[in-house]
Amino acid sequence: MQRQEDAKAKLKEKGYKLTPQRRATLETFAENRGKHLSTEDVYTLVKEKCPEIGIATVYRTLQLLEGLGVINKMSFDDGCSRYEMSGSDEDHHHHHLICLSCGEVQEVEEDLLEHLEEKIREKNHFDVVNHRVKFFGYCSKCSNK
Amino acid sequence: MQRQEDAKAKLKEKGYKLTPQRRATLETFAENRGKHLSTEDVYTLVKEKCPEIGIATVYRTLQLLEGLGVINKMSFDDGCSRYEMSGSDEDHHHHHLICLSCGEVQEVEEDLLEHLEEKIREKNHFDVVNHRVKFFGYCSKCSNK
DNA sequence: TTGGTATTGTAAGTGATTGGAAATTGACAG
DNA sequence: CTGTCAATTTCCAATCACTTACAATACCAA
């Protein structure tokens, strides 16, 4: 896919090597778009393609890919970091609904506050290029209980 | 709720971890607003969510949360300490402007999208109780360079 | 193909936190 | 003063998410 090829180009550009471990990690993210993978998740999934991989390499790879902007780290306060592939345009309108009861995370794709960015720009002299919103509350399953 | 989220932010800020035990304790206080819970009370209540928790951890957690100002200790001379969530400040909708260049974080106090919460509620069947927004961009100092 | 360098897996090391149990404290009775 | 008992703290070994040391190995440009 586009992003996978981009990522490979970025690696080469910066003098990093394209190893089977990194290739497998990229593939895994491409195959799991929209999911928020923990390091353990990635480890498990990548292991299917590349059984020898060690957990340390997974951590290193995720760090590297985050630095290159290929994936984004996000925290849902569940005790571990989670990542997803950063899709340049979708990313801009990509927000989360976090259930305070069960911890489930849903996504909302919507441009919520484009117009507010302008307001912020004027009031705070801050040049906004992106925003991210978390809504906290109770998902349908939990609020029915 | 807001105070729960604030508390989580404070923990993170000070380098403390948000463990299941701490999460359960915060939830317990949120669900028992206005009550004055003894350590034993907290132990019993938290045990429902987190049965493995030990009494020592409860004492430690209460100490920690008191230090962060999330809960208040009060004495009724009944032989044990009691606590309640400190509710003094109300639902502050404070959000953040994060500079991508220097990393500076400004706060904005503003209710940005109350009306959008209703929309989310209908479309996603998600009962929103709070939201948090991050704006990414460049602060005035950095964008002038 | 080759050689220098990046990268790897293993295993040991972080630092914060934990449960259980033992130790300490303090109020009070005898 | 001494013993008792419950509240609270401390000790300790273990756990968790993550990082690092290091020697062996794999990329990839020449």
Short mmCIF file of all heavy atoms in Angstrom, two decimals, chain A residues 71-128:
data_model
loop_
_atom_site.label_atom_id
_atom_site.label_comp_id
_atom_site.label_asym_id
_atom_site.label_seq_id
_atom_site.Cartn_x
_atom_site.Cartn_y
_atom_site.Cartn_z
N ILE A 71 3.79 5.63 12.27
CA ILE A 71 2.72 5.23 13.18
C ILE A 71 2.59 6.29 14.27
O ILE A 71 3.51 7.07 14.49
CB ILE A 71 2.98 3.86 13.83
CG1 ILE A 71 4.31 3.87 14.58
CG2 ILE A 71 2.98 2.76 12.79
CD1 ILE A 71 4.60 2.58 15.33
N ASN A 72 1.47 6.31 14.95
CA ASN A 72 1.25 7.25 16.04
C ASN A 72 1.05 6.51 17.34
O ASN A 72 0.34 5.51 17.39
CB ASN A 72 0.00 8.10 15.78
CG ASN A 72 0.24 9.06 14.65
OD1 ASN A 72 -0.49 9.07 13.67
ND2 ASN A 72 1.29 9.85 14.75
N LYS A 73 1.68 7.06 18.37
CA LYS A 73 1.51 6.50 19.70
C LYS A 73 0.32 7.19 20.32
O LYS A 73 0.12 8.38 20.15
CB LYS A 73 2.76 6.83 20.51
CG LYS A 73 2.86 6.15 21.84
CD LYS A 73 4.08 6.70 22.58
CE LYS A 73 4.71 5.65 23.48
NZ LYS A 73 6.10 5.98 23.82
N MET A 74 -0.48 6.42 21.03
CA MET A 74 -1.59 7.05 21.73
C MET A 74 -1.84 6.33 23.03
O MET A 74 -1.61 5.14 23.16
CB MET A 74 -2.83 7.02 20.86
CG MET A 74 -3.06 5.73 20.14
SD MET A 74 -4.30 5.92 18.89
CE MET A 74 -3.78 7.42 18.10
N SER A 75 -2.29 7.11 24.00
CA SER A 75 -2.48 6.53 25.32
C SER A 75 -3.96 6.48 25.67
O SER A 75 -4.67 7.45 25.50
CB SER A 75 -1.74 7.35 26.36
OG SER A 75 -2.10 6.89 27.63
N PHE A 76 -4.39 5.32 26.13
CA PHE A 76 -5.75 5.19 26.60
C PHE A 76 -5.75 4.85 28.08
O PHE A 76 -6.72 4.33 28.60
CB PHE A 76 -6.51 4.13 25.80
CG PHE A 76 -6.66 4.49 24.36
CD1 PHE A 76 -6.04 3.73 23.38
CD2 PHE A 76 -7.39 5.60 24.00
CE1 PHE A 76 -6.17 4.06 22.05
CE2 PHE A 76 -7.51 5.95 22.66
CZ PHE A 76 -6.90 5.17 21.69
N ASP A 77 -4.65 5.14 28.74
CA ASP A 77 -4.55 4.91 30.19
C ASP A 77 -4.88 3.49 30.58
O ASP A 77 -5.48 3.26 31.61
CB ASP A 77 -5.49 5.86 30.94
CG ASP A 77 -5.05 7.30 30.77
OD1 ASP A 77 -3.85 7.53 30.61
OD2 ASP A 77 -5.93 8.17 30.77
N ASP A 78 -4.53 2.55 29.76
CA ASP A 78 -4.78 1.17 30.14
C ASP A 78 -3.48 0.46 30.47
O ASP A 78 -3.40 -0.74 30.45
CB ASP A 78 -5.54 0.43 29.03
CG ASP A 78 -4.73 0.35 27.75
OD1 ASP A 78 -3.71 1.06 27.63
OD2 ASP A 78 -5.11 -0.42 26.87
N GLY A 79 -2.48 1.23 30.75
CA GLY A 79 -1.25 0.64 31.25
C GLY A 79 -0.22 0.28 30.19
O GLY A 79 0.84 -0.20 30.52
N CYS A 80 -0.57 0.46 28.93
CA CYS A 80 0.43 0.22 27.91
C CYS A 80 0.21 1.15 26.73
O CYS A 80 -0.90 1.62 26.50
CB CYS A 80 0.41 -1.23 27.47
SG CYS A 80 -1.13 -1.72 26.72
N SER A 81 1.28 1.39 25.98
CA SER A 81 1.16 2.27 24.83
C SER A 81 0.47 1.53 23.70
O SER A 81 0.64 0.32 23.55
CB SER A 81 2.55 2.69 24.36
OG SER A 81 3.22 3.35 25.39
N ARG A 82 -0.25 2.27 22.91
CA ARG A 82 -0.88 1.69 21.74
C ARG A 82 -0.51 2.52 20.52
O ARG A 82 -0.20 3.70 20.64
CB ARG A 82 -2.40 1.65 21.91
CG ARG A 82 -2.80 0.66 22.98
CD ARG A 82 -4.27 0.54 23.19
NE ARG A 82 -4.54 -0.52 24.14
CZ ARG A 82 -4.64 -1.80 23.82
NH1 ARG A 82 -4.55 -2.18 22.56
NH2 ARG A 82 -4.85 -2.70 24.75
N TYR A 83 -0.53 1.84 19.37
CA TYR A 83 -0.11 2.51 18.15
C TYR A 83 -1.11 2.24 17.04
O TYR A 83 -1.79 1.22 17.03
CB TYR A 83 1.24 1.98 17.70
CG TYR A 83 2.36 2.23 18.68
CD1 TYR A 83 2.58 1.37 19.74
CD2 TYR A 83 3.20 3.33 18.52
CE1 TYR A 83 3.60 1.59 20.64
CE2 TYR A 83 4.23 3.57 19.42
CZ TYR A 83 4.43 2.69 20.48
OH TYR A 83 5.44 2.91 21.36
N GLU A 84 -1.15 3.14 16.09
CA GLU A 84 -1.88 2.86 14.86
C GLU A 84 -1.14 3.51 13.71
O GLU A 84 -0.39 4.46 13.90
CB GLU A 84 -3.32 3.37 14.94
CG GLU A 84 -3.39 4.86 15.01
CD GLU A 84 -4.83 5.39 14.94
OE1 GLU A 84 -5.76 4.58 14.80
OE2 GLU A 84 -4.98 6.61 15.01
N MET A 85 -1.36 2.98 12.52
CA MET A 85 -0.70 3.56 11.37
C MET A 85 -1.29 4.94 11.13
O MET A 85 -2.51 5.11 11.19
CB MET A 85 -0.91 2.67 10.14
CG MET A 85 -0.16 3.17 8.94
SD MET A 85 -0.01 1.91 7.65
CE MET A 85 1.51 1.08 8.08
N SER A 86 -0.42 5.91 10.91
CA SER A 86 -0.93 7.26 10.70
C SER A 86 -1.24 7.43 9.22
O SER A 86 -0.37 7.39 8.37
CB SER A 86 0.10 8.28 11.14
OG SER A 86 1.31 8.07 10.49
N GLY A 87 -2.51 7.55 8.94
CA GLY A 87 -2.92 7.80 7.55
C GLY A 87 -3.07 9.29 7.41
O GLY A 87 -3.94 9.87 8.01
N SER A 88 -2.21 9.89 6.62
CA SER A 88 -2.07 11.34 6.62
C SER A 88 -3.38 12.12 6.61
O SER A 88 -3.56 13.01 7.41
CB SER A 88 -1.20 11.78 5.46
OG SER A 88 -1.41 10.92 4.38
N ASP A 89 -4.30 11.79 5.73
CA ASP A 89 -5.49 12.63 5.71
C ASP A 89 -6.56 12.20 6.71
O ASP A 89 -7.13 13.02 7.38
CB ASP A 89 -6.11 12.78 4.32
CG ASP A 89 -5.48 11.85 3.32
OD1 ASP A 89 -4.28 12.06 3.07
OD2 ASP A 89 -6.16 10.94 2.84
N GLU A 90 -6.77 10.88 6.79
CA GLU A 90 -7.81 10.44 7.72
C GLU A 90 -7.50 10.94 9.12
O GLU A 90 -8.37 11.27 9.89
CB GLU A 90 -7.89 8.91 7.78
CG GLU A 90 -7.94 8.21 6.45
CD GLU A 90 -6.59 7.66 6.09
OE1 GLU A 90 -6.14 6.72 6.75
OE2 GLU A 90 -5.97 8.18 5.15
N ASP A 91 -6.21 10.97 9.42
CA ASP A 91 -5.74 11.32 10.74
C ASP A 91 -6.36 12.59 11.28
O ASP A 91 -6.63 12.73 12.45
CB ASP A 91 -4.23 11.48 10.66
CG ASP A 91 -3.62 11.44 12.05
OD1 ASP A 91 -4.10 10.61 12.83
OD2 ASP A 91 -2.72 12.22 12.32
N HIS A 92 -6.58 13.51 10.39
CA HIS A 92 -7.02 14.83 10.82
C HIS A 92 -8.40 14.80 11.45
O HIS A 92 -8.73 15.62 12.28
CB HIS A 92 -7.01 15.77 9.61
CG HIS A 92 -7.08 17.20 10.01
ND1 HIS A 92 -6.01 17.87 10.57
CD2 HIS A 92 -8.08 18.09 9.94
CE1 HIS A 92 -6.36 19.11 10.81
NE2 HIS A 92 -7.61 19.28 10.45
N HIS A 93 -9.21 13.87 11.04
CA HIS A 93 -10.57 13.85 11.57
C HIS A 93 -10.85 12.55 12.29
O HIS A 93 -11.84 11.89 12.06
CB HIS A 93 -11.59 14.01 10.44
CG HIS A 93 -11.27 15.15 9.56
ND1 HIS A 93 -11.08 16.41 10.05
CD2 HIS A 93 -11.10 15.23 8.24
CE1 HIS A 93 -10.81 17.23 9.04
NE2 HIS A 93 -10.81 16.53 7.94
N HIS A 94 -9.98 12.21 13.15
CA HIS A 94 -10.00 10.88 13.71
C HIS A 94 -9.98 11.02 15.23
O HIS A 94 -8.96 11.34 15.80
CB HIS A 94 -8.75 10.18 13.19
CG HIS A 94 -8.54 8.82 13.73
ND1 HIS A 94 -7.57 7.99 13.28
CD2 HIS A 94 -9.20 8.15 14.67
CE1 HIS A 94 -7.63 6.86 13.93
NE2 HIS A 94 -8.62 6.94 14.79
N HIS A 95 -11.13 10.76 15.85
CA HIS A 95 -11.23 11.00 17.28
C HIS A 95 -11.75 9.76 18.00
O HIS A 95 -12.11 8.79 17.37
CB HIS A 95 -12.11 12.21 17.53
CG HIS A 95 -11.68 13.38 16.70
ND1 HIS A 95 -10.46 13.98 16.86
CD2 HIS A 95 -12.29 14.02 15.67
CE1 HIS A 95 -10.34 14.95 15.97
NE2 HIS A 95 -11.44 14.99 15.23
N HIS A 96 -11.78 9.84 19.32
CA HIS A 96 -12.08 8.63 20.08
C HIS A 96 -13.16 8.82 21.13
O HIS A 96 -13.24 9.87 21.77
CB HIS A 96 -10.82 8.11 20.76
CG HIS A 96 -9.79 7.67 19.77
ND1 HIS A 96 -8.61 8.33 19.56
CD2 HIS A 96 -9.78 6.63 18.90
CE1 HIS A 96 -7.92 7.72 18.62
NE2 HIS A 96 -8.60 6.69 18.19
N LEU A 97 -13.97 7.78 21.29
CA LEU A 97 -14.94 7.71 22.37
C LEU A 97 -14.43 6.66 23.35
O LEU A 97 -14.28 5.49 22.98
CB LEU A 97 -16.31 7.26 21.85
CG LEU A 97 -16.90 8.01 20.66
CD1 LEU A 97 -18.29 7.47 20.34
CD2 LEU A 97 -16.96 9.50 20.95
N ILE A 98 -14.16 7.07 24.58
CA ILE A 98 -13.58 6.15 25.54
C ILE A 98 -14.56 5.87 26.66
O ILE A 98 -15.00 6.79 27.35
CB ILE A 98 -12.29 6.76 26.12
CG1 ILE A 98 -11.30 7.00 24.97
CG2 ILE A 98 -11.69 5.84 27.17
CD1 ILE A 98 -10.14 7.88 25.35
N CYS A 99 -14.89 4.61 26.84
CA CYS A 99 -15.87 4.25 27.87
C CYS A 99 -15.20 4.21 29.24
O CYS A 99 -14.21 3.51 29.44
CB CYS A 99 -16.51 2.90 27.56
SG CYS A 99 -17.72 2.45 28.83
N LEU A 100 -15.77 4.98 30.17
CA LEU A 100 -15.18 5.06 31.52
C LEU A 100 -15.44 3.79 32.32
O LEU A 100 -14.83 3.56 33.35
CB LEU A 100 -15.78 6.25 32.28
CG LEU A 100 -15.37 7.63 31.78
CD1 LEU A 100 -16.23 8.71 32.42
CD2 LEU A 100 -13.90 7.88 32.08
N SER A 101 -16.37 2.99 31.83
CA SER A 101 -16.70 1.79 32.58
C SER A 101 -15.90 0.59 32.08
O SER A 101 -15.16 -0.02 32.82
CB SER A 101 -18.19 1.54 32.48
OG SER A 101 -18.52 0.34 33.10
N CYS A 102 -16.02 0.27 30.80
CA CYS A 102 -15.34 -0.92 30.31
C CYS A 102 -14.04 -0.62 29.58
O CYS A 102 -13.27 -1.51 29.26
CB CYS A 102 -16.26 -1.74 29.41
SG CYS A 102 -16.66 -0.97 27.84
N GLY A 103 -13.79 0.66 29.30
CA GLY A 103 -12.52 1.02 28.68
C GLY A 103 -12.49 0.87 27.17
O GLY A 103 -11.49 1.16 26.54
N GLU A 104 -13.60 0.43 26.60
CA GLU A 104 -13.64 0.25 25.15
C GLU A 104 -13.40 1.57 24.41
O GLU A 104 -13.79 2.62 24.88
CB GLU A 104 -15.01 -0.31 24.76
CG GLU A 104 -15.07 -0.79 23.33
CD GLU A 104 -16.50 -0.81 22.80
OE1 GLU A 104 -17.21 0.20 22.96
OE2 GLU A 104 -16.89 -1.82 22.22
N VAL A 105 -12.75 1.48 23.29
CA VAL A 105 -12.48 2.68 22.50
C VAL A 105 -13.16 2.57 21.15
O VAL A 105 -12.89 1.64 20.39
CB VAL A 105 -10.97 2.87 22.29
CG1 VAL A 105 -10.71 4.11 21.46
CG2 VAL A 105 -10.25 2.97 23.62
N GLN A 106 -14.04 3.50 20.86
CA GLN A 106 -14.65 3.57 19.53
C GLN A 106 -14.04 4.74 18.80
O GLN A 106 -13.53 5.66 19.41
CB GLN A 106 -16.14 3.87 19.63
CG GLN A 106 -17.05 2.76 20.05
CD GLN A 106 -18.47 3.29 20.19
OE1 GLN A 106 -19.07 3.81 19.27
NE2 GLN A 106 -19.00 3.18 21.40
N GLU A 107 -14.16 4.71 17.50
CA GLU A 107 -13.65 5.84 16.73
C GLU A 107 -14.78 6.66 16.14
O GLU A 107 -15.84 6.14 15.85
CB GLU A 107 -12.80 5.33 15.59
CG GLU A 107 -11.60 4.59 16.08
CD GLU A 107 -10.51 4.57 15.05
OE1 GLU A 107 -10.74 5.03 13.92
OE2 GLU A 107 -9.42 4.10 15.40
N VAL A 108 -14.53 7.92 16.00
CA VAL A 108 -15.46 8.78 15.27
C VAL A 108 -14.67 9.43 14.17
O VAL A 108 -13.60 9.98 14.41
CB VAL A 108 -15.97 9.95 16.13
CG1 VAL A 108 -17.42 10.21 15.84
CG2 VAL A 108 -15.68 9.75 17.58
N GLU A 109 -15.19 9.35 13.00
CA GLU A 109 -14.57 10.04 11.88
C GLU A 109 -15.43 11.23 11.56
O GLU A 109 -16.49 11.11 10.98
CB GLU A 109 -14.49 9.13 10.66
CG GLU A 109 -13.64 7.91 10.83
CD GLU A 109 -12.15 8.22 10.86
OE1 GLU A 109 -11.75 9.28 10.34
OE2 GLU A 109 -11.40 7.39 11.41
N GLU A 110 -15.00 12.35 11.94
CA GLU A 110 -15.83 13.51 11.68
C GLU A 110 -14.99 14.76 11.90
O GLU A 110 -14.14 14.79 12.78
CB GLU A 110 -17.02 13.53 12.63
CG GLU A 110 -18.06 14.53 12.24
CD GLU A 110 -19.42 14.15 12.80
OE1 GLU A 110 -19.50 13.23 13.64
OE2 GLU A 110 -20.40 14.76 12.39
N ASP A 111 -15.27 15.74 11.11
CA ASP A 111 -14.56 16.97 11.36
C ASP A 111 -15.34 17.78 12.37
O ASP A 111 -16.39 18.32 12.09
CB ASP A 111 -14.40 17.77 10.08
CG ASP A 111 -13.47 18.92 10.36
OD1 ASP A 111 -12.96 18.96 11.49
OD2 ASP A 111 -13.27 19.74 9.47
N LEU A 112 -14.83 17.79 13.56
CA LEU A 112 -15.62 18.32 14.66
C LEU A 112 -15.46 19.81 14.87
O LEU A 112 -16.38 20.49 15.25
CB LEU A 112 -15.24 17.59 15.94
CG LEU A 112 -15.53 16.10 15.93
CD1 LEU A 112 -14.82 15.42 17.07
CD2 LEU A 112 -17.01 15.86 16.01
N LEU A 113 -14.27 20.30 14.65
CA LEU A 113 -14.09 21.68 15.06
C LEU A 113 -13.11 22.46 14.21
O LEU A 113 -12.30 23.24 14.71
CB LEU A 113 -13.68 21.75 16.54
CG LEU A 113 -13.01 20.52 17.15
CD1 LEU A 113 -11.53 20.58 16.88
CD2 LEU A 113 -13.29 20.47 18.62
N GLU A 114 -13.24 22.24 12.93
CA GLU A 114 -12.43 23.00 11.99
C GLU A 114 -12.56 24.51 12.26
O GLU A 114 -11.59 25.24 12.34
CB GLU A 114 -12.90 22.71 10.56
CG GLU A 114 -11.91 23.10 9.49
CD GLU A 114 -10.91 21.97 9.21
OE1 GLU A 114 -10.44 21.32 10.16
OE2 GLU A 114 -10.61 21.77 8.05
N HIS A 115 -13.81 24.91 12.46
CA HIS A 115 -14.07 26.34 12.62
C HIS A 115 -13.47 26.88 13.93
O HIS A 115 -13.14 28.05 14.03
CB HIS A 115 -15.57 26.62 12.58
CG HIS A 115 -16.33 25.88 13.64
ND1 HIS A 115 -16.50 24.52 13.62
CD2 HIS A 115 -16.94 26.33 14.75
CE1 HIS A 115 -17.20 24.15 14.68
NE2 HIS A 115 -17.47 25.23 15.38
N LEU A 116 -13.33 25.99 14.91
CA LEU A 116 -12.76 26.44 16.18
C LEU A 116 -11.27 26.71 16.08
O LEU A 116 -10.71 27.50 16.82
CB LEU A 116 -13.03 25.42 17.27
CG LEU A 116 -14.40 25.54 17.91
CD1 LEU A 116 -14.73 24.31 18.70
CD2 LEU A 116 -14.45 26.77 18.80
N GLU A 117 -10.63 26.02 15.15
CA GLU A 117 -9.20 26.23 14.99
C GLU A 117 -8.91 27.69 14.68
O GLU A 117 -7.95 28.26 15.19
CB GLU A 117 -8.64 25.33 13.88
CG GLU A 117 -8.69 23.86 14.22
CD GLU A 117 -7.86 23.01 13.28
OE1 GLU A 117 -7.35 23.53 12.27
OE2 GLU A 117 -7.73 21.79 13.56
N GLU A 118 -9.76 28.25 13.89
CA GLU A 118 -9.58 29.65 13.51
C GLU A 118 -9.68 30.57 14.73
O GLU A 118 -8.88 31.48 14.93
CB GLU A 118 -10.62 30.05 12.45
CG GLU A 118 -10.38 31.40 11.82
CD GLU A 118 -8.97 31.53 11.26
OE1 GLU A 118 -8.46 30.56 10.64
OE2 GLU A 118 -8.35 32.59 11.47
N LYS A 119 -10.64 30.25 15.57
CA LYS A 119 -10.85 31.04 16.79
C LYS A 119 -9.61 31.00 17.69
O LYS A 119 -9.13 32.01 18.19
CB LYS A 119 -12.08 30.50 17.54
CG LYS A 119 -12.70 31.52 18.48
CD LYS A 119 -13.89 30.90 19.21
CE LYS A 119 -15.18 30.99 18.42
NZ LYS A 119 -16.33 30.41 19.15
N ILE A 120 -9.12 29.77 17.88
CA ILE A 120 -7.92 29.57 18.69
C ILE A 120 -6.74 30.36 18.12
O ILE A 120 -5.97 30.98 18.84
CB ILE A 120 -7.53 28.08 18.72
CG1 ILE A 120 -8.63 27.25 19.38
CG2 ILE A 120 -6.20 27.88 19.41
CD1 ILE A 120 -8.58 27.23 20.88
N ARG A 121 -6.65 30.31 16.82
CA ARG A 121 -5.55 30.98 16.14
C ARG A 121 -5.53 32.47 16.48
O ARG A 121 -4.50 33.03 16.81
CB ARG A 121 -5.72 30.78 14.62
CG ARG A 121 -4.45 30.86 13.83
CD ARG A 121 -4.63 30.17 12.49
NE ARG A 121 -4.87 28.73 12.67
CZ ARG A 121 -5.35 27.92 11.73
NH1 ARG A 121 -5.66 28.40 10.54
NH2 ARG A 121 -5.53 26.64 11.98
N GLU A 122 -6.72 33.06 16.47
CA GLU A 122 -6.80 34.49 16.77
C GLU A 122 -6.58 34.79 18.24
O GLU A 122 -5.78 35.63 18.61
CB GLU A 122 -8.18 35.03 16.36
CG GLU A 122 -8.36 35.13 14.85
CD GLU A 122 -9.83 35.31 14.49
OE1 GLU A 122 -10.64 35.63 15.39
OE2 GLU A 122 -10.16 35.14 13.30
N LYS A 123 -7.29 34.04 19.07
CA LYS A 123 -7.25 34.35 20.50
C LYS A 123 -5.91 34.05 21.15
O LYS A 123 -5.45 34.76 22.02
CB LYS A 123 -8.34 33.56 21.25
CG LYS A 123 -9.66 34.28 21.35
CD LYS A 123 -10.66 33.49 22.19
CE LYS A 123 -10.39 33.55 23.69
NZ LYS A 123 -11.51 32.96 24.46
N ASN A 124 -5.31 32.93 20.75
CA ASN A 124 -4.09 32.50 21.44
C ASN A 124 -2.82 32.64 20.62
O ASN A 124 -1.76 32.22 21.06
CB ASN A 124 -4.24 31.04 21.88
CG ASN A 124 -5.43 30.84 22.79
OD1 ASN A 124 -6.57 30.77 22.33
ND2 ASN A 124 -5.19 30.79 24.07
N HIS A 125 -2.94 33.21 19.44
CA HIS A 125 -1.77 33.34 18.58
C HIS A 125 -1.07 32.01 18.43
O HIS A 125 0.13 31.91 18.59
CB HIS A 125 -0.80 34.39 19.13
CG HIS A 125 -1.48 35.69 19.45
ND1 HIS A 125 -1.97 36.52 18.48
CD2 HIS A 125 -1.77 36.26 20.64
CE1 HIS A 125 -2.54 37.57 19.06
NE2 HIS A 125 -2.44 37.44 20.36
N PHE A 126 -1.87 31.01 18.21
CA PHE A 126 -1.32 29.66 18.09
C PHE A 126 -1.74 29.10 16.74
O PHE A 126 -2.92 29.08 16.40
CB PHE A 126 -1.88 28.80 19.23
CG PHE A 126 -1.23 27.45 19.37
CD1 PHE A 126 -0.11 27.30 20.18
CD2 PHE A 126 -1.73 26.35 18.70
CE1 PHE A 126 0.50 26.06 20.32
CE2 PHE A 126 -1.13 25.11 18.83
CZ PHE A 126 -0.01 24.97 19.65
N ASP A 127 -0.76 28.67 15.98
CA ASP A 127 -1.01 28.22 14.62
C ASP A 127 -1.36 26.73 14.61
O ASP A 127 -0.48 25.88 14.59
CB ASP A 127 0.26 28.50 13.79
CG ASP A 127 0.03 28.13 12.34
OD1 ASP A 127 -1.12 28.13 11.89
OD2 ASP A 127 1.04 27.83 11.66
N VAL A 128 -2.64 26.45 14.62
CA VAL A 128 -3.10 25.07 14.76
C VAL A 128 -2.95 24.30 13.45
O VAL A 128 -3.36 24.78 12.40
CB VAL A 128 -4.58 25.03 15.17
CG1 VAL A 128 -5.04 23.60 15.33
CG2 VAL A 128 -4.79 25.81 16.45
#
